[in-house]
Amino acid sequence: MTATAGGHLDEIEALMGTEEDGRHICDVACLIAERGWLGLDDKDSAQARMDEALALPLNPMLKEEFLDWQRRIDPARLPGGLRGLHDPYQASMAGNWVAAAAHWQQAGDPYRAALALAEGDADAVARALSILDRLGAARVREAVLGRARGRGLDIDAPARPRATTLANPAGLTKRQMQVLGLLGEGLSNAAIAERLFVSAKTVDHHVSAILGKLDVASRGEAAALACKKGWV
Protein backbone atom coordinates (compact mmCIF):
# COMPACT_ATOMS: atom_id res chain seq x y z
CA MET A 1 0.00 0.00 0.00
CA THR A 2 1.20 3.51 -0.78
CA ALA A 3 0.84 6.61 1.34
CA THR A 4 -2.14 7.62 -0.83
CA ALA A 5 -3.84 4.37 0.14
CA GLY A 6 -4.10 5.68 3.70
CA GLY A 7 -6.97 7.91 2.60
CA HIS A 8 -8.75 4.95 1.05
CA LEU A 9 -8.30 3.02 4.30
CA ASP A 10 -10.06 5.83 6.18
CA GLU A 11 -12.93 5.60 3.68
CA ILE A 12 -13.13 1.82 4.14
CA GLU A 13 -13.30 2.14 7.91
CA ALA A 14 -15.96 4.85 7.65
CA LEU A 15 -18.06 2.68 5.34
CA MET A 16 -17.72 -0.27 7.70
CA GLY A 17 -19.11 1.81 10.56
CA THR A 18 -20.18 -0.65 13.23
CA GLU A 19 -19.37 -3.67 11.05
CA GLU A 20 -19.42 -6.82 13.16
CA ASP A 21 -18.38 -9.37 10.54
CA GLY A 22 -15.08 -10.66 11.90
CA ARG A 23 -13.72 -11.54 8.47
CA HIS A 24 -14.19 -7.97 7.26
CA ILE A 25 -12.53 -6.64 10.40
CA CYS A 26 -9.58 -8.95 9.78
CA ASP A 27 -9.34 -7.81 6.14
CA VAL A 28 -9.02 -4.19 7.26
CA ALA A 29 -6.58 -5.26 9.98
CA CYS A 30 -4.37 -6.74 7.24
CA LEU A 31 -4.21 -3.36 5.52
CA ILE A 32 -3.41 -1.64 8.79
CA ALA A 33 -0.71 -4.19 9.58
CA GLU A 34 0.89 -3.89 6.16
CA ARG A 35 1.06 -0.11 6.48
CA GLY A 36 2.63 -0.45 9.91
CA TRP A 37 5.17 -2.96 8.59
CA LEU A 38 6.07 -0.61 5.74
CA GLY A 39 6.53 2.30 8.15
CA LEU A 40 3.63 4.28 6.65
CA ASP A 41 1.83 4.39 9.99
CA ASP A 42 3.05 4.48 13.57
CA LYS A 43 3.52 0.87 14.68
CA ASP A 44 2.05 1.39 18.14
CA SER A 45 -1.06 3.01 16.71
CA ALA A 46 -1.35 0.25 14.11
CA GLN A 47 -0.99 -2.43 16.78
CA ALA A 48 -3.70 -0.86 18.91
CA ARG A 49 -6.09 -1.11 15.96
CA MET A 50 -4.92 -4.65 15.17
CA ASP A 51 -5.66 -5.85 18.71
CA GLU A 52 -9.37 -5.83 17.88
CA ALA A 53 -8.82 -8.48 15.23
CA LEU A 54 -6.59 -10.49 17.55
CA ALA A 55 -9.37 -10.63 20.12
CA LEU A 56 -12.02 -11.91 17.71
CA PRO A 57 -13.28 -15.40 18.66
CA LEU A 58 -12.80 -16.78 15.14
CA ASN A 59 -11.30 -19.99 13.88
CA PRO A 60 -7.64 -19.05 13.20
CA MET A 61 -8.05 -20.22 9.59
CA LEU A 62 -10.51 -17.39 8.99
CA LYS A 63 -7.95 -14.78 10.04
CA GLU A 64 -4.70 -16.48 9.00
CA GLU A 65 -3.70 -13.69 6.61
CA PHE A 66 -3.93 -11.15 9.42
CA LEU A 67 -2.10 -13.49 11.81
CA ASP A 68 0.73 -13.78 9.30
CA TRP A 69 1.12 -10.00 9.30
CA GLN A 70 0.98 -9.97 13.09
CA ARG A 71 3.80 -12.54 13.07
CA ARG A 72 5.98 -10.20 11.02
CA ILE A 73 5.30 -7.22 13.27
CA ASP A 74 5.24 -8.77 16.75
CA PRO A 75 5.04 -12.58 16.98
CA ALA A 76 4.86 -12.41 20.76
CA ARG A 77 1.23 -11.27 20.44
CA LEU A 78 0.16 -14.34 18.48
CA PRO A 79 -2.15 -16.81 20.24
CA GLY A 80 -0.49 -20.08 21.14
CA GLY A 81 -1.11 -23.45 19.53
CA LEU A 82 -2.10 -22.26 16.09
CA ARG A 83 -3.14 -25.35 14.13
CA GLY A 84 -5.18 -26.15 11.05
CA LEU A 85 -3.98 -23.22 8.96
CA HIS A 86 -3.52 -23.52 5.22
CA ASP A 87 -0.10 -24.90 4.28
CA PRO A 88 1.78 -21.66 3.46
CA TYR A 89 0.60 -19.97 6.65
CA GLN A 90 1.36 -23.02 8.77
CA ALA A 91 4.86 -23.13 7.27
CA SER A 92 5.38 -19.43 8.04
CA MET A 93 4.23 -19.89 11.65
CA ALA A 94 6.77 -22.71 11.96
CA GLY A 95 9.54 -20.45 10.63
CA ASN A 96 9.90 -22.50 7.43
CA TRP A 97 10.22 -19.77 4.81
CA VAL A 98 11.44 -22.26 2.19
CA ALA A 99 8.20 -24.27 2.36
CA ALA A 100 6.07 -21.13 2.58
CA ALA A 101 7.67 -19.65 -0.55
CA ALA A 102 7.25 -22.93 -2.42
CA HIS A 103 3.56 -23.11 -1.51
CA TRP A 104 2.96 -19.54 -2.66
CA GLN A 105 4.88 -20.10 -5.88
CA GLN A 106 2.80 -23.20 -6.59
CA ALA A 107 -0.35 -21.18 -5.90
CA GLY A 108 0.76 -18.56 -8.43
CA ASP A 109 1.11 -15.75 -5.87
CA PRO A 110 4.50 -14.06 -6.51
CA TYR A 111 3.91 -11.25 -3.99
CA ARG A 112 3.42 -13.57 -1.04
CA ALA A 113 6.22 -15.81 -2.33
CA ALA A 114 8.51 -12.77 -2.26
CA LEU A 115 7.48 -11.93 1.31
CA ALA A 116 8.35 -15.48 2.35
CA LEU A 117 11.70 -15.40 0.54
CA ALA A 118 12.44 -12.07 2.23
CA GLU A 119 12.73 -13.94 5.53
CA GLY A 120 15.44 -16.24 4.21
CA ASP A 121 19.16 -16.06 3.51
CA ALA A 122 20.93 -13.58 1.25
CA ASP A 123 20.22 -15.51 -1.95
CA ALA A 124 16.53 -15.83 -1.06
CA VAL A 125 16.30 -12.11 -0.35
CA ALA A 126 17.93 -11.37 -3.72
CA ARG A 127 15.23 -13.46 -5.39
CA ALA A 128 12.56 -11.63 -3.41
CA LEU A 129 13.91 -8.27 -4.57
CA SER A 130 13.84 -9.42 -8.19
CA ILE A 131 10.21 -10.52 -7.88
CA LEU A 132 9.23 -7.24 -6.23
CA ASP A 133 11.00 -5.31 -9.00
CA ARG A 134 8.98 -7.24 -11.57
CA LEU A 135 5.79 -6.45 -9.67
CA GLY A 136 6.69 -2.77 -9.33
CA ALA A 137 6.44 -2.98 -5.53
CA ALA A 138 9.12 -0.36 -4.86
CA ARG A 139 8.16 0.47 -1.27
CA VAL A 140 7.96 -3.18 -0.27
CA ARG A 141 11.33 -3.75 -1.94
CA GLU A 142 12.83 -0.97 0.17
CA ALA A 143 11.38 -2.45 3.36
CA VAL A 144 12.61 -5.97 2.52
CA LEU A 145 16.12 -4.76 1.73
CA GLY A 146 16.31 -2.66 4.90
CA ARG A 147 15.18 -5.54 7.12
CA ALA A 148 17.60 -7.96 5.49
CA ARG A 149 20.53 -5.63 6.06
CA GLY A 150 19.27 -5.08 9.60
CA ARG A 151 19.67 -8.84 10.11
CA GLY A 152 23.29 -8.50 9.06
CA LEU A 153 22.89 -10.07 5.62
CA ASP A 154 25.26 -8.99 2.89
CA ILE A 155 22.77 -8.38 0.11
CA ASP A 156 24.07 -7.88 -3.40
CA ALA A 157 20.93 -5.94 -4.25
CA PRO A 158 20.25 -5.54 -7.96
CA ALA A 159 19.85 -1.97 -9.09
CA ARG A 160 16.34 -0.66 -9.60
CA PRO A 161 15.29 -1.67 -13.11
CA ARG A 162 16.03 0.82 -15.88
CA ALA A 163 13.52 1.78 -18.55
CA THR A 164 15.22 -0.61 -20.99
CA THR A 165 14.76 -3.43 -18.50
CA LEU A 166 11.08 -2.61 -17.97
CA ALA A 167 10.61 -2.61 -21.74
CA ASN A 168 12.04 -6.12 -21.97
CA PRO A 169 9.15 -8.63 -22.11
CA ALA A 170 10.95 -10.84 -19.61
CA GLY A 171 11.85 -7.94 -17.30
CA LEU A 172 15.52 -8.89 -17.60
CA THR A 173 18.61 -6.77 -18.14
CA LYS A 174 20.71 -7.18 -21.28
CA ARG A 175 23.28 -9.21 -19.34
CA GLN A 176 20.59 -11.40 -17.79
CA MET A 177 19.22 -12.09 -21.27
CA GLN A 178 22.70 -13.21 -22.31
CA VAL A 179 22.90 -15.53 -19.31
CA LEU A 180 19.41 -16.86 -20.05
CA GLY A 181 20.44 -17.66 -23.60
CA LEU A 182 23.46 -19.58 -22.35
CA LEU A 183 21.30 -21.46 -19.88
CA GLY A 184 19.35 -22.59 -22.92
CA GLU A 185 22.56 -24.06 -24.29
CA GLY A 186 22.86 -26.17 -21.14
CA LEU A 187 26.01 -24.44 -19.89
CA SER A 188 27.00 -24.55 -16.23
CA ASN A 189 27.54 -21.34 -14.26
CA ALA A 190 31.29 -21.84 -14.52
CA ALA A 191 31.09 -22.24 -18.29
CA ILE A 192 28.85 -19.18 -18.59
CA ALA A 193 31.33 -17.18 -16.50
CA GLU A 194 34.15 -18.22 -18.81
CA ARG A 195 32.11 -17.34 -21.89
CA LEU A 196 31.19 -13.87 -20.57
CA PHE A 197 34.55 -13.16 -18.90
CA VAL A 198 33.01 -12.62 -15.47
CA SER A 199 33.25 -14.42 -12.14
CA ALA A 200 31.19 -17.50 -11.32
CA LYS A 201 29.73 -15.62 -8.34
CA THR A 202 28.45 -12.92 -10.67
CA VAL A 203 26.77 -15.56 -12.82
CA ASP A 204 25.26 -17.12 -9.68
CA HIS A 205 23.63 -13.79 -8.84
CA HIS A 206 22.38 -13.36 -12.40
CA VAL A 207 20.83 -16.83 -12.38
CA SER A 208 19.12 -16.18 -9.03
CA ALA A 209 17.74 -12.89 -10.39
CA ILE A 210 16.50 -14.63 -13.56
CA LEU A 211 14.69 -17.33 -11.58
CA GLY A 212 13.05 -14.68 -9.41
CA LYS A 213 11.98 -12.43 -12.28
CA LEU A 214 10.58 -15.32 -14.30
CA ASP A 215 9.04 -16.88 -11.18
CA VAL A 216 10.44 -20.32 -11.96
CA ALA A 217 12.15 -22.84 -9.70
CA SER A 218 14.99 -24.11 -11.88
CA ARG A 219 17.43 -23.23 -14.65
CA GLY A 220 15.70 -25.73 -16.93
CA GLU A 221 12.31 -24.09 -16.39
CA ALA A 222 13.83 -20.67 -17.15
CA ALA A 223 15.38 -21.92 -20.38
CA ALA A 224 12.16 -23.66 -21.43
CA LEU A 225 10.08 -20.54 -20.75
CA ALA A 226 12.50 -18.36 -22.72
CA CYS A 227 12.30 -20.74 -25.66
CA LYS A 228 8.50 -20.92 -25.49
CA LYS A 229 8.17 -17.12 -25.40
CA GLY A 230 10.74 -16.60 -28.15
CA TRP A 231 12.98 -14.42 -25.99
CA VAL A 232 16.18 -16.22 -26.99
Side-chain angles (χ1 to χ4, degrees):
M1 291 181 65
T2 63
T4 305
H8 295 303
L9 179 57
D10 291 338
E11 291 180 22
I12 290 171
E13 292 191 303
L15 289 171
M16 285 182 65
T18 57
E19 173 67 64
E20 295 183 357
D21 188 316
R23 290 169 298 179
H24 292 169
I25 293 174
C26 286
D27 287 343
V28 174
C30 285
L31 301 181
I32 293 170
E34 186 173 8
R35 287 181 60 81
W37 186 79
L38 289 172
L40 296 175
D41 290 334
D42 177 74
K43 287 186 178 181
D44 291 337
S45 298
Q47 185 62 65
R49 298 164 77 187
M50 291 157 58
D51 285 341
E52 179 183 0
L54 278 176
L56 290 172
L58 291 176
N59 183 315
M61 183 178 287
L62 296 178
K63 55 179 179 179
E64 56 191 4
E65 177 77 10
F66 164 70
L67 292 174
D68 203 30
W69 278 108
Q70 180 63 75
R71 177 188 62 80
R72 294 186 183 98
I73 294 174
D74 185 359
R77 290 178 177 268
L78 288 172
L82 288 174
R83 296 289 185 273
L85 306 180
H86 286 98
D87 289 340
Y89 295 107
Q90 199 69 61
S92 290
M93 294 299 171
N96 190 345
W97 60 266
V98 175
H103 284 305
W104 286 125
Q105 186 174 22
Q106 185 176 17
D109 192 327
Y111 179 66
R112 288 180 175 83
L115 290 179
L117 289 168
E119 299 180 16
D121 57 21
D123 287 340
V125 173
R127 288 193 64 187
L129 295 177
S130 294
I131 293 172
L132 294 170
D133 280 339
R134 180 166 57 86
L135 295 176
R139 189 177 290 277
V140 181
R141 180 193 195 277
E142 181 182 343
V144 165
L145 182 57
R147 281 173 167 75
R149 287 175 170 164
R151 289 192 283 134
L153 295 181
D154 183 13
I155 306 297
D156 183 16
R160 294 285 296 281
R162 299 178 181 178
T164 53
T165 300
L166 295 174
N168 185 297
L172 304 179
T173 66
K174 182 178 179 180
R175 176 64 89 184
Q176 287 165 357
M177 288 297 291
Q178 290 177 318
V179 172
L180 181 59
L182 295 175
L183 288 178
E185 295 181 23
L187 298 183
S188 66
N189 284 10
I192 293 174
E194 184 175 351
R195 180 79 66 88
L196 298 179
F197 302 101
V198 297
S199 70
K201 182 177 180 181
T202 296
V203 175
D204 289 342
H205 287 307
H206 283 315
V207 172
S208 292
I210 290 168
L211 297 183
K213 288 183 178 181
L214 300 187
D215 196 22
V216 295
S218 69
R219 299 154 56 91
E221 286 184 41
L225 180 62
C227 182
K228 178 180 178 181
K229 296 290 188 180
W231 294 333
V232 297

